[in-house]
Amino acid sequence: MEPDLEINPNTNDLPLRANTNNILVRHYVLDLTVHFDRKVISGSVVLFLEPCSGVNAQGEEDGTVEDITKGLGKTTANMEMVCDKAGIGSKAEDDDTQSSLLWETTSDCDFTLVLDCCDLAVINIEEVDVTSVSVMSSHHMEFASDSSGVSSVDQNAAFIQKLISMPSSRWRQKHQFFLLCSRAPGPQDGSSLQFHRDRWSLQVRKKGIASPQQFPRAVRICYETRPTGGSVRWTKDQDKRVCVYTAGSPINNRALFPCQEPPVAMSTWQATVRAPCECVVLMSGEEQAVPIEDGDTLFSVWSYYVTMPMPASTFTLAVGHWSQVTAEIPAEFERSVRNRTDCGKMAMPRPGLGHWTELGLLSGLGSSFSEVVKGSPLQTGSGGQTTRSDSAFCYSSLEDEGFSVTDYSGMVNDGISCSHGDYPCRFAEREARSQRVIPHRVFAPVCLMHKAQIGVLKLLPRCLAAAHAVLGVHPFSRLDVLIVPAGFSSLGMASPHIIFLSQSVLCSGSEEKGSSLCGSRMCHEIAHSWFGLVIGARDWTEEWISEGFATYLEDIIWAKAQQLSLQETGDQSDLKALLRWRRLSDELQNSEEELQILRPNMENTGLVSEFGSSIVKHALNPDKTFMQVHYLKGYFLLRFLASQVGEQQFIDFFRLFVKKYHGQLILSQDFLRMLLITFPDMERKGLTLSAIYADWLDRPGIPKWLYERSAVWSQARLVEEVKTEVVKWILLSQSHQGKSRKRKRMEPKVNYKELLSEQLVLLLELLLEESELSVVTLRSLQRTYNLQNQDTEVKHRWCELVVKHAYTQAYGHVESFLVNDQAMGVYLYGELMIHEDAEQQALARRCLSLVQEEMDQSARRVVQEMVL
């Protein structure tokens, strides 16, 4: 049986090839080693499979696996023999196709397991013989069975089915069994499964097996990633130290491990990662225990796991030399970073700065850092779960800061119970309901420690508490935040238990200044815990379900975190709405119509082929990577719906929706239908599901309501203040146009109002509409607002103004922005090139040469097309 989906290689659609309607991966066990010298990750992944028919999901009585865990060392040795035998570390093919030697001996009549995969060198694939684990566990009640007359193959299948079906109350035992099975040997006859890898998939067969029910239930794949694989980034952090991380690529994780990528393929996983001892390994998941150091290899072994079934795309990994940010920065760190304003590759390095000081500092702090991050295990939480030392996490009550948050946990209908499959759910835990701030850690390169302390560590508890006040129970029990390398292509990315933040959101300077961008971005990523992670889109083309919701909620959560009054909240909301309206209208004027549709599959949304494969429309389009339409148009749809039912009632409805749909995948219609049922007056006013589809989701352009509402936002109080200041600057510019520079005269003193960061953004945007601004005006603007030290959104508009008016005195600001704020600087290259100014074009080429090695692949490709 061949995969049923033909992909046109000339389109920008992403194929999801996995045949999830035939067979599903229920659990992954990954055993990986990070090789910085070769820029590869090697190891194995064991897939525990369940056919999609004839599934027995009955739970069994409790038992114990304490006796058989004694065999863990022996099975670990077996696993090492398997990988040695398979040739891990040997040279692999470099083309887009690869087959095992006997693939041609299989038949199209044989069942084919199809996995999403690319840029991987597959070494060997074999069935895992779990007979030894099954026999060892046979004396336990839950696995007891009459094996007389039953083949070993059937015994293996029955054992794994019972393992998959174990109730969530025994998840620890379940994971121990999975781990033991993953380290079991292959078939006694040494045979392998046959495989073929093409550009987008890995196809696996067992000769003579014609159905998913007969296919092996545990499969081990030994493989290596490739240095240029699209799922991970090999780069250097801002301290010039090597690191690797999953970059949120459009191809997701298929170049990290073979997997089933369609969102419906919800699975749990556990992972063991070996990395150099001086490195920190951060992952999406719970940490099982403190890392174990291997003195023979100078590697440490880190273990993580998840108990909530989630799409494979949510798996996240980061390995590097980062340090944990603490409330009090040690003196040696403080001295290192006090006078530094930028990290990494500086546009204009100061003479006399060498690498030895920083490297010496890092090596000198190794022991103290190890004590913090690699502390002794601590029994915490229900069931005595082993986690890191208490000192590694921050626990904030916020009481000392006078931070009060209204608890809304009792105001909604508690009659709605969990509707998802069986897993240990925090929404069902009484303790979790009152946990406003979950344990959290922040990691950063040394040179950004102070900024991360001010901009992230101090704000994070407030943001977490505010999110709990708005949405209720935190879906995940802990959170790590990592400041990722400068080449990260966006401002942030959320995964289970971990958030990646760009250095571009950190506060500028040594003061707690410009915290709005950092705080609002953290609130955006935290909101993804509810919308995007614990509730996900069943069809990836409906990105607005994740990004539109997070954009809408970030304002509400951030306002609560700042403890703003209702008036202040409304004022800021209107100002941000106007800024987003301007951005959206500009984007829609300069993009293809097919990229402006929030539900591009329309009535076919959520449909897949007979075997479960599908495509994600436009996912590989490089233009789409930098578009904000799903964020902004989705945000405005939610604002429109809130205006129909009342903002507080709308937030209350969010909490009801989360209670009902957490742990599940949804389509737009699930949210909208529940909303219309909850507020029947909407339909009586003519606001039907089809009307919302027609106006907002299924067509390009801007709905009528948004045009009308933008006029109201344009007259908001904070906006009017900006307009007043704009007039002052235009008058100043006009007074200097056409006058001789040699002629000096006394300037009348003008009092300029202090503006919020968002007001500064609007001020600069409005001044960008002016065809001419004098040099005196630009210089005065810079000095009045200290623009080069504002947040990144303000600096971006300032750089656009500098480029438009060829203000050469501030070209250094443009260079610094393009080098240090790569997540936002892509289109600034185009503006430097389009004016055909030789100096500006040279500036663009110089900046590209400085950063192209660390840039995200998609961003580099777009910029190179502009510049080269």
Side-chain angles (χ1 to χ4, degrees), residues 354-373:
H355 294 292
W356 67 268
T357 304
E358 195 166 279
L359 293 175
L361 172 64
L362 286 165
S363 61
L365 289 173
S367 59
S368 62
F369 171 64
S370 177
E371 289 172 5
V372 174
V373 178

Side-chain angles (χ1 to χ4, degrees), residues 3-174:
D4 64 314
L5 187 64
E6 289 297 324
I7 302 297
N8 179 357
N10 297 317
T11 71
N12 288 314
D13 299 333
L14 174 69
L16 303 178
R17 301 290 296 273
N19 51 341
T20 54
N21 281 355
N22 298 132
I23 195 165
L24 285 170
V25 179
R26 291 302 190 185
H27 190 78
Y28 296 89
V29 178
L30 293 107
D31 190 354
L32 307 175
T33 301
V34 178
H35 305 276
F36 281 111
D37 54 340
R38 296 190 294 125
K39 294 185 178 180
V40 299
I41 298 174
S42 68
S44 67
V45 57
V46 177
L47 316 178
F48 292 89
L49 301 161
E50 183 177 40
C52 289
S53 60
V55 173
N56 175 16
Q58 296 300 314
E60 302 293 339
E61 223 174 290
D62 201 355
T64 175
V65 294
E66 289 180 1
D67 295 334
I68 63 173
T69 55
K70 295 176 182 177
L72 191 59
K74 185 179 295 184
T75 53
T76 301
N78 290 339
M79 183 62 219
E80 291 171 353
M81 290 174 61
V82 167
C83 287
D84 289 342
K85 182 178 176 181
I88 287 292
S90 62
K91 183 174 176 61
E93 301 175 35
D94 290 326
D95 54 11
D96 278 342
T97 61
Q98 180 188 359
S99 298
S100 57
L101 293 175
L102 299 179
W103 172 257
E104 297 301 331
T105 67
T106 63
S107 165
D108 288 348
C109 294
D110 294 332
F111 173 75
T112 305
L113 167 67
V114 184
L115 301 170
D116 295 295
C117 171
C118 71
D119 297 331
L120 292 179
V122 178
I123 311 299
N124 186 57
I125 303 180
E126 64 181 2
E127 181 177 358
V128 179
D129 183 359
V130 301
T131 304
S132 58
V133 180
S134 176
V135 170
M136 282 191 290
S137 63
S138 61
H139 63 283
H140 297 296
M141 183 181 298
E142 68 269 25
F143 291 116
S145 63
D146 181 8
S147 59
S148 58
V150 180
S151 69
S152 61
V153 172
D154 291 338
Q155 285 184 37
N156 281 350
F159 174 75
I160 292 174
Q161 183 58 53
K162 287 192 174 184
L163 178 55
I164 289 172
S165 303
M166 283 180 72
S168 63
S169 59
R170 291 165 31 219
W171 67 264
R172 291 176 185 79
Q173 298 167 314
K174 189 174 182 177

Side-chain angles (χ1 to χ4, degrees), residues 584 596 598 629-637 696 699-701 703:
L584 177 63
Q596 302 174 12
L598 297 188
V629 65
H630 288 86
Y631 294 73
L632 301 178
K633 200 171 179 181
Y635 156 81
F636 284 122
L637 168 55
W696 289 92
R699 73 177 186 185

Side-chain angles (χ1 to χ4, degrees), residues 8 47 49 101 110 152 158 436 481 530 573 621 634 644 730 748 750-751 768 806:
N8 179 357
L47 316 178
L49 301 161
L101 293 175
D110 294 332
S152 61
R436 297 185 300 165
V481 177
W530 288 267
S573 177
N621 189 322
Q644 304 301 304
I730 292 175
V750 179
N751 292 319
L768 273 165

Side-chain angles (χ1 to χ4, degrees), residues 589-601:
Q589 290 173 21
N590 296 283
S591 62
E592 301 174 37
E593 285 195 347
E594 62 180 2
L595 298 180
Q596 302 174 12
I597 301 173
L598 297 188
R599 203 173 69 125
N601 290 330

Side-chain angles (χ1 to χ4, degrees), residues 574-590:
D574 288 347
L575 174 59
K576 290 180 178 180
L578 180 65
L579 287 169
R580 289 175 178 140
W581 152 253
R582 292 172 59 86
R583 198 168 308 159
L584 177 63
S585 57
D586 180 67
E587 185 169 285
L588 297 185
Q589 290 173 21
N590 296 283

